[in-house]
Coordinates of all heavy atoms in Angstrom, one line a residue:
Chain A
E155 N 84.1 96.6 96.5 CA 85.2 97.4 95.8 C 85.0 98.8 96.2 O 83.9 99.4 96.1 CB 85.1 97.2 94.3 CG 86.1 97.9 93.5 CD 86.2 97.5 92.1 OE1 85.5 98.1 91.3 OE2 86.9 96.6 91.7
L156 N 86.1 99.5 96.5 CA 86.1 100.8 97.1 C 86.7 101.9 96.2 O 87.7 101.6 95.5 CB 86.8 100.9 98.4 CG 86.3 99.9 99.5 CD1 87.2 99.8 100.7 CD2 84.9 100.2 99.9
D169 N 96.4 98.5 108.3 CA 97.7 98.9 108.8 C 97.7 98.9 110.3 O 98.6 98.4 111.0 CB 98.1 100.3 108.3 CG 98.5 100.3 106.8 OD1 98.7 99.2 106.3 OD2 98.5 101.3 106.2
R172 N 97.6 95.3 111.5 CA 98.9 94.6 111.3 C 99.9 95.1 112.3 O 100.6 94.4 112.9 CB 99.3 94.9 109.9 CG 100.6 94.3 109.5 CD 101.1 94.5 108.1 NE 102.5 94.5 108.0 CZ 103.2 95.2 107.1 NH1 102.5 95.9 106.2 NH2 104.5 95.1 107.0
R177 N 103.2 94.2 117.0 CA 103.7 94.7 118.3 C 103.6 93.6 119.3 O 104.4 93.6 120.3 CB 102.8 95.9 118.7 CG 103.4 96.7 119.7 CD 103.5 98.2 119.3 NE 104.2 98.5 118.1 CZ 104.1 99.6 117.5 NH1 103.3 100.6 117.9 NH2 104.8 99.9 116.4
E184 N 101.5 84.3 104.8 CA 100.5 84.3 103.7 C 100.4 83.0 103.1 O 101.5 82.3 102.9 CB 100.9 85.4 102.7 CG 100.8 86.8 103.2 CD 100.7 87.8 102.1 OE1 101.2 87.5 100.9 OE2 100.3 89.0 102.3
V187 N 95.7 81.4 97.8 CA 94.3 81.5 97.9 C 93.7 80.2 97.4 O 92.6 79.8 97.9 CB 93.8 82.7 97.0 CG1 93.9 82.4 95.6 CG2 92.3 83.1 97.4
E203 N 80.9 73.3 103.2 CA 81.3 72.7 101.9 C 80.4 73.1 100.8 O 80.9 73.3 99.6 CB 81.3 71.2 102.0 CG 81.9 70.5 100.8 CD 82.5 69.2 101.2 OE1 82.6 68.9 102.4 OE2 82.9 68.4 100.3
F208 N 85.1 76.3 93.7 CA 86.1 75.5 93.1 C 86.8 76.2 91.9 O 86.2 77.1 91.3 CB 85.5 74.2 92.6 CG 85.1 73.3 93.8 CD1 83.8 73.4 94.2 CD2 86.0 72.5 94.4 CE1 83.4 72.6 95.3 CE2 85.6 71.7 95.5 CZ 84.3 71.8 96.0
Q210 N 89.1 75.9 88.3 CA 89.5 75.0 87.2 C 90.2 75.9 86.1 O 89.6 76.9 85.7 CB 88.4 74.3 86.6 CG 87.9 73.1 87.5 CD 86.6 72.6 86.9 OE1 85.5 73.2 87.0 NE2 86.7 71.4 86.4
T212 N 91.2 76.6 82.1 CA 90.5 76.3 80.9 C 90.7 74.9 80.4 O 89.7 74.2 80.1 CB 90.9 77.2 79.8 OG1 91.2 78.5 80.3 CG2 89.9 77.4 78.7
R243 N 96.9 73.4 107.8 CA 97.8 72.8 106.8 C 99.2 73.3 106.8 O 100.2 72.5 106.8 CB 97.1 73.1 105.4 CG 97.6 72.2 104.3 CD 98.7 72.9 103.4 NE 98.3 74.2 103.1 CZ 99.2 75.3 103.0 NH1 100.5 75.1 103.3 NH2 98.8 76.5 102.6
Y244 N 99.3 74.6 107.0 CA 100.7 75.3 107.1 C 101.5 74.7 108.2 O 102.7 74.3 108.1 CB 100.5 76.8 107.2 CG 101.7 77.6 107.2 CD1 102.2 78.2 106.0 CD2 102.4 77.9 108.3 CE1 103.3 79.0 105.9 CE2 103.6 78.7 108.3 CZ 104.0 79.3 107.1 OH 105.1 80.1 107.1
R263 N 92.2 87.6 102.0 CA 90.8 87.5 101.7 C 90.4 86.0 101.7 O 91.3 85.1 101.3 CB 90.6 88.1 100.3 CG 90.8 89.6 100.3 CD 90.7 90.1 98.8 NE 91.0 91.5 98.8 CZ 90.4 92.3 98.0 NH1 89.4 91.9 97.2 NH2 90.7 93.6 98.0
Y265 N 86.9 83.2 100.7 CA 85.8 83.1 99.7 C 84.7 82.2 100.2 O 85.0 81.0 100.5 CB 86.4 82.7 98.4 CG 87.4 83.7 97.9 CD1 88.7 83.7 98.4 CD2 87.0 84.7 97.1 CE1 89.6 84.7 98.0 CE2 87.9 85.8 96.8 CZ 89.2 85.7 97.2 OH 90.1 86.7 96.9
E277 N 83.6 87.5 99.0 CA 85.0 87.7 99.1 C 85.2 88.7 100.3 O 84.7 89.8 100.2 CB 85.6 88.3 97.9 CG 87.1 88.6 98.0 CD 87.7 89.3 96.8 OE1 87.1 90.4 96.3 OE2 88.7 88.8 96.2
Y279 N 88.0 90.1 103.7 CA 89.2 90.0 104.5 C 89.0 89.3 105.9 O 88.0 89.7 106.6 CB 89.8 91.4 104.8 CG 90.8 91.9 103.8 CD1 90.4 92.7 102.8 CD2 92.1 91.5 103.9 CE1 91.4 93.2 101.8 CE2 93.1 91.9 102.9 CZ 92.7 92.8 101.9 OH 93.6 93.2 101.0
R294 N 97.9 80.8 129.9 CA 98.3 82.2 129.9 C 98.3 82.8 128.6 O 98.1 84.1 128.5 CB 99.8 82.2 130.4 CG 99.9 81.8 131.8 CD 101.3 81.5 132.1 NE 101.5 81.1 133.5 CZ 102.6 80.9 134.1 NH1 103.7 80.9 133.4 NH2 102.7 80.6 135.4
Q474 N 93.6 66.4 111.2 CA 93.4 65.8 109.9 C 94.7 65.7 109.1 O 94.8 65.0 108.1 CB 92.3 66.5 109.1 CG 92.7 67.9 108.5 CD 92.4 69.1 109.5 OE1 92.7 69.0 110.7 NE2 91.8 70.1 109.0
T538 N 103.8 113.1 97.8 CA 103.7 114.4 97.0 C 103.3 114.1 95.6 O 103.9 113.3 94.9 CB 105.1 115.1 97.0 OG1 105.5 115.2 98.4 CG2 105.0 116.4 96.3
Chain B
I268 N 95.4 63.2 105.8 CA 95.7 63.8 104.5 C 97.1 64.4 104.6 O 97.4 65.1 105.5 CB 94.7 64.8 104.1 CG1 93.3 64.2 104.1 CG2 95.0 65.5 102.8 CD1 93.0 63.4 102.9
E278 N 104.9 79.7 98.9 CA 104.5 79.9 100.3 C 105.8 80.0 101.1 O 106.7 79.2 100.9 CB 103.6 78.7 100.8 CG 103.2 78.9 102.2 CD 102.1 77.9 102.6 OE1 102.5 76.8 103.0 OE2 101.0 78.2 102.5
L279 N 105.9 80.9 102.0 CA 107.1 81.2 102.7 C 107.1 80.9 104.2 O 106.0 81.1 104.8 CB 107.5 82.7 102.5 CG 107.6 83.1 101.0 CD1 107.8 84.7 100.9 CD2 108.8 82.5 100.3
D292 N 106.3 96.5 101.4 CA 106.2 97.8 102.1 C 107.0 98.9 101.4 O 106.5 100.0 101.3 CB 106.7 97.7 103.5 CG 105.7 96.9 104.4 OD1 104.5 96.7 103.9 OD2 106.1 96.4 105.4
R295 N 105.2 99.9 98.2 CA 104.0 100.6 98.5 C 104.4 102.0 98.9 O 103.8 103.0 98.5 CB 103.2 99.9 99.5 CG 101.9 100.6 99.9 CD 101.2 99.8 101.0 NE 100.4 100.7 101.8 CZ 100.0 100.5 103.0 NH1 100.4 99.4 103.7 NH2 99.3 101.4 103.7
R300 N 104.5 107.7 97.9 CA 105.3 109.0 97.9 C 105.1 109.8 96.6 O 105.2 111.0 96.7 CB 106.8 108.6 98.1 CG 107.6 109.7 98.6 CD 108.4 109.4 99.9 NE 107.6 109.0 101.0 CZ 108.1 108.4 102.1 NH1 109.3 108.1 102.1 NH2 107.3 108.2 103.1
E307 N 92.1 98.3 95.3 CA 92.1 96.9 95.3 C 90.8 96.4 94.6 O 89.8 97.0 94.8 CB 92.1 96.3 96.8 CG 93.4 96.5 97.5 CD 93.5 95.6 98.7 OE1 92.5 95.1 99.2 OE2 94.6 95.5 99.2
V310 N 89.3 89.5 93.4 CA 90.1 88.5 92.7 C 89.2 87.8 91.6 O 89.7 87.4 90.6 CB 90.8 87.5 93.7 CG1 89.7 86.5 94.2 CG2 91.9 86.7 93.0
E326 N 93.8 83.5 77.4 CA 92.5 82.9 77.7 C 92.7 81.4 78.1 O 92.0 80.9 79.0 CB 91.6 83.0 76.5 CG 90.2 82.6 76.9 CD 89.2 83.4 76.1 OE1 89.5 84.4 75.4 OE2 88.0 83.1 76.1
F331 N 88.9 79.4 86.0 CA 87.4 79.7 86.3 C 87.0 79.3 87.6 O 87.6 78.4 88.2 CB 86.6 79.0 85.2 CG 86.8 79.6 83.8 CD1 87.7 79.0 83.0 CD2 86.2 80.8 83.4 CE1 88.0 79.6 81.7 CE2 86.4 81.3 82.2 CZ 87.3 80.7 81.3
Q333 N 83.7 78.3 90.2 CA 82.3 77.9 90.4 C 82.1 77.4 91.8 O 82.8 76.7 92.4 CB 82.1 76.7 89.5 CG 82.0 77.0 88.0 CD 82.0 75.8 87.1 OE1 82.9 75.0 87.0 NE2 80.8 75.5 86.6
T335 N 79.9 75.3 94.7 CA 79.5 73.9 94.6 C 78.1 73.8 93.9 O 77.9 72.9 93.1 CB 79.3 73.4 96.1 OG1 80.3 73.9 96.9 CG2 79.4 71.9 96.1
R366 N 88.4 97.9 83.8 CA 87.0 97.8 84.2 C 86.7 98.8 85.3 O 85.6 99.4 85.3 CB 86.8 96.3 84.7 CG 85.4 95.9 84.9 CD 84.9 96.0 86.3 NE 85.8 95.4 87.2 CZ 86.1 95.8 88.4 NH1 85.5 97.0 88.9 NH2 86.9 95.2 89.3
Y367 N 87.6 98.9 86.3 CA 87.4 99.8 87.4 C 87.3 101.3 86.9 O 86.3 102.0 87.3 CB 88.6 99.7 88.3 CG 88.6 100.5 89.6 CD1 88.1 100.0 90.8 CD2 89.1 101.8 89.7 CE1 88.1 100.7 92.0 CE2 89.1 102.6 90.9 CZ 88.6 102.0 92.0 OH 88.6 102.7 93.2
R386 N 97.5 89.8 94.1 CA 97.9 88.5 93.4 C 97.1 88.3 92.2 O 95.9 88.7 92.2 CB 97.7 87.3 94.4 CG 98.7 87.4 95.6 CD 98.3 86.3 96.6 NE 99.1 86.4 97.8 CZ 99.6 85.3 98.4 NH1 99.5 84.1 97.9 NH2 100.3 85.5 99.5
Y388 N 96.4 85.3 88.8 CA 96.4 83.9 88.6 C 96.5 83.5 87.1 O 95.8 84.0 86.3 CB 95.1 83.4 89.2 CG 95.0 83.7 90.6 CD1 94.6 84.9 91.1 CD2 95.6 82.8 91.6 CE1 94.7 85.2 92.5 CE2 95.6 83.1 92.9 CZ 95.2 84.3 93.3 OH 95.3 84.6 94.7
Y402 N 102.3 87.9 92.9 CA 102.0 89.3 93.1 C 102.4 90.2 91.9 O 103.4 90.0 91.4 CB 102.8 89.8 94.3 CG 102.1 89.8 95.6 CD1 102.4 88.8 96.5 CD2 101.2 90.8 96.0 CE1 101.7 88.7 97.8 CE2 100.6 90.8 97.2 CZ 100.9 89.7 98.1 OH 100.2 89.7 99.3
T661 N 107.2 93.4 120.6 CA 107.7 92.7 121.8 C 107.0 91.4 122.0 O 105.7 91.3 122.0 CB 107.5 93.6 123.0 OG1 108.1 94.8 122.8 CG2 108.1 92.9 124.2
M665 N 105.7 83.3 127.8 CA 104.5 83.1 128.7 C 104.7 81.9 129.7 O 103.9 81.8 130.6 CB 103.2 82.9 127.9 CG 102.9 84.2 127.0 SD 102.5 85.7 128.0 CE 100.8 85.4 128.5

Side-chain angles (χ1 to χ4, degrees):
Chain A
E155 182 170 86
L156 303 170
D169 289 342
R172 180 180 152 205
R177 198 127 300 163
E184 291 198 339
V187 74
E203 190 149 352
F208 292 96
Q210 287 171 288
T212 323
R243 196 262 310 144
Y244 183 94
R263 296 172 183 223
Y265 298 85
E277 174 186 56
Y279 267 99
R294 292 165 177 182
Q474 70 271 46
T538 306
Chain B
I268 299 285
E278 182 169 87
L279 302 170
D292 289 343
R295 180 179 154 207
R300 198 129 299 163
E307 291 197 342
V310 73
E326 189 148 352
F331 292 95
Q333 288 170 288
T335 323
R366 195 264 309 143
Y367 183 93
R386 295 172 185 224
Y388 299 85
Y402 266 99
T661 306
M665 297 299 279

